[in-house]
Amino acid sequence: KKRILSLVLCAAMLLSMCLFLGAGVTNSLTVCDSSGEAVKRVDLPVNQKISLMAQAQSAAENDAYQWQIRAAKNVWANILGSDTQTLELSYPMVASALSEKNTVQIRCRLTSAETGEATFSDAVTVEVTAATAVDAPASADAAAAPVLRSPAKVAAAANDAPETRTIEIKYEFANGTQAAPSWTATVAKGSNYSATITSPAVVGYEPKPSDNSITIDETNIQDNITRIVYYYPALVDFTVKYYQQNVNDDKYSLFETKTKQGYTEKPVSEYETGENGFAANYDGFTRLLYDDTATIAADGSTVVELYYDRNYYLMNFDLDSGYGVEPIYARYGATINVGNPTKPGYTFKEWTPAMPDTMPVNGGTYTAVWTVGNAKYVVQYWQENANDDNARIIKYAAMSIDVLSKFKVQLQRKK
């Protein structure tokens, strides 16, 4: 009972101290010992267990913890079953990985449930030390007595452990930089190993060769094995927005939006033309320059914005000897207001072709169509004076063209 109470109090102190000190550390993921101190090195008595806790400055409820042990120089292996915030460290857990100095390194990995991003603590060096006195169990049935060994025997046990080899799969981009954390496995020297490992998903890239997995099938393993899976740009979406200049001001309005595809990291300009190119031509508009140096983002967030200005056109008028209407020069789509022209003796009928309400593409020429009207004129009647050769007006009258026509007909008949 005394020992159980001691362990409970120790765990409670460890949790509270880590929570208290977590905000003061500089590393985003810190390993604390049973006293609540952030540690880089701990002693592990060969006959006891010690508790370590990983403390993050900020961690969500569903974030995943995984403790790891250094299996080789640059190889970290997951400690199977040690996937909680607290690690119960014991000699059997580290014995096969001890160095000649009776030490081993461990660390904790915290993976965000939201982003999948992994954060690693600093490596903690664990040194196995001689046995220490412990409380005797309450009865022989309660627990087996601990085996006490001297440091020399501990080192001998470590040296007697079977040799191991590491199988590692690296995930890299074509330029050699890391695309995803490596996959590793530790096996006994001379053993066989066979497994198919699914390659991790990397946004905007796809693994080649072997598509989405790689198979390891090795017998009598004598040396460390390293395989590399390369990731190359994949075909991803990007967005193109088309803006057109307003009719009545120099601002722009979104006309339409299209989704196009291109390979990650490629300049957007490579997909301007071609069968599925994003370049668009609109009658009456001229496209302005755009940022053709932008590249396509792996996550599909790239947006290309294209702006189009309205063209100006000239509208001409053939008045057929009439007057009163001037040529119009305006931007495409502008409202057209054309008054009726005037021509003496005629009435304006219409324009041909029909007059549009707004400025059309290329403007055009429009011809006035006339009908004969009722023109007024004056008829004066002169008589010679009786006393001289002068004449005087005795009568005049205003007539229209149709009356004049009748008058001419009557004159012709008199003749």
Side-chain angles (χ1 to χ4, degrees):
K1 292 182 179 179
K2 181 178 178 181
R3 182 179 182 184
I4 293 174
L5 179 60
S6 175
L7 289 174
V8 171
L9 292 175
C10 181
M13 179 182 295
L14 176 62
L15 177 60
S16 61
M17 290 298 289
C18 273
L19 291 175
F20 176 76
L21 294 175
V25 299
T26 57
N27 198 336
S28 59
L29 185 63
T30 306
V31 176
C32 300
D33 64 7
S34 58
S35 67
E37 297 275 354
V39 294
K40 293 291 184 67
R41 186 181 185 92
V42 294
D43 291 335
L44 174 63
V46 70
N47 64 324
Q48 292 188 19
K49 291 183 179 181
I50 63 173
S51 294
L52 299 178
M53 175 176 284
Q55 178 61 42
Q57 291 182 358
S58 60
E61 181 179 354
N62 295 328
D63 289 353
Y65 292 88
Q66 177 61 61
W67 292 87
Q68 297 180 325
I69 191 167
R70 189 187 293 275
K73 182 177 181 181
N74 294 317
V75 179
W76 289 87
N78 294 339
I79 302 176
L80 188 64
S82 300
D83 53 1
T84 60
Q85 189 175 3
T86 302
L87 175 67
E88 292 295 322
L89 196 62
S90 64
Y91 173 75
M93 181 181 288
V94 301
S96 64
L98 287 172
S99 68
E100 295 179 356
K101 295 181 179 180
N102 235 28
T103 61
V104 70
Q105 288 188 320
I106 64 168
R107 70 180 184 184
C108 185
R109 180 185 70 204
L110 178 64
T111 304
S112 170
E114 180 178 357
T115 65
E117 182 179 0
T119 302
F120 296 89
S121 71
D122 291 335
V124 176
T125 300
V126 179
E127 181 176 2
V128 175
T129 60
T132 59
V134 295
D135 294 335
S139 67
D141 296 332
V147 178
L148 305 184
R149 288 184 285 181
S150 66
K153 290 183 178 181
V154 170
N159 292 330
D160 291 340
E163 290 188 58
T164 61
R165 294 294 181 261
T166 300
I167 302 174
E168 180 181 17
I169 302 176
K170 295 181 177 181
Y171 302 102
E172 299 179 354
F173 294 117
N175 62 4
T177 60
Q178 188 182 62
S182 298
W183 176 92
T184 60
T186 301
V187 299
K189 180 180 179 180
S191 64
N192 302 332
Y193 188 87
S194 179
T196 298
I197 297 89
T198 300
S199 300
V202 179
V203 175
Y205 295 85
E206 54 187 0
K208 294 180 181 179
S210 72
D211 296 328
N212 295 320
S213 64
I214 185 171
T215 298
I216 303 294
D217 190 7
E218 299 288 340
T219 59
N220 190 25
I221 299 173
Q222 297 296 318
D223 300 307
N224 293 332
I225 298 171
T226 301
R227 301 282 179 85
I228 301 178
V229 175
Y230 290 101
Y231 283 75
Y232 295 88
L235 202 61
V236 298
D237 290 342
F238 66 95
T239 303
V240 184
K241 293 185 175 181
Y242 302 84
Y243 293 86
Q244 292 184 350
Q245 188 181 39
N246 298 334
V247 175
N248 298 319
D249 57 46
D250 290 332
K251 296 180 180 180
Y252 298 83
S253 297
L254 180 63
F255 178 69
E256 62 179 334
T257 301
K258 296 181 180 179
T259 300
K260 298 292 183 177
Q261 285 194 321
Y263 284 94
T264 300
E265 299 180 355
K266 290 289 185 180
V268 294
S269 58
E270 291 193 12
Y271 302 94
E272 178 179 338
T273 58
E275 183 179 354
N276 297 312
F278 62 78
N281 296 316
Y282 301 103
D283 290 341
F285 290 87
T286 297
R287 193 186 76 194
L288 306 181
L289 297 177
Y290 70 98
D291 182 13
D292 58 1
T293 63
T295 57
I296 299 174
D299 60 0
S301 62
T302 298
V303 177
V304 180
E305 295 183 337
L306 302 180
Y307 290 85
Y308 292 79
D309 270 2
R310 291 178 182 270
N311 299 333
Y312 279 73
Y313 297 110
L314 178 64
M315 182 179 286
N316 281 309
F317 303 97
D318 181 357
L319 303 182
D320 188 21
S321 301
Y323 63 91
V325 176
E326 299 294 333
I328 297 175
Y329 186 71
R331 63 173 50 165
Y332 168 68
T335 301
I336 300 299
N337 294 312
V338 180
N340 293 339
T342 300
K343 181 179 180 179
Y346 294 86
T347 300
F348 175 74
K349 180 181 179 182
E350 61 185 1
W351 295 103
T352 180
M355 181 65 61
D357 295 328
T358 60
M359 176 63 76
V361 174
N362 297 324
T365 299
Y366 299 83
T367 303
V369 178
W370 305 93
T371 57
V372 176
N374 295 323
K376 300 293 184 179
Y377 69 96
V378 175
V379 178
Q380 295 179 342
Y381 299 88
W382 297 79
Q383 286 185 348
E384 186 179 13
N385 294 333
N387 300 323
D388 54 41
D389 292 334
N390 294 326
R392 63 187 176 87
I393 299 175
I394 64 170
K395 185 180 181 182
Y396 73 92
M399 301 182 186
S400 61
I401 287 180
D402 57 344
V403 174
L404 176 61
S405 300
K406 294 177 182 179
F407 178 70
K408 288 182 179 180
V409 171
Q410 291 174 353
L411 289 178
Q412 289 175 355
R413 287 177 180 175
K414 288 180 180 180
K415 290 181 181 180

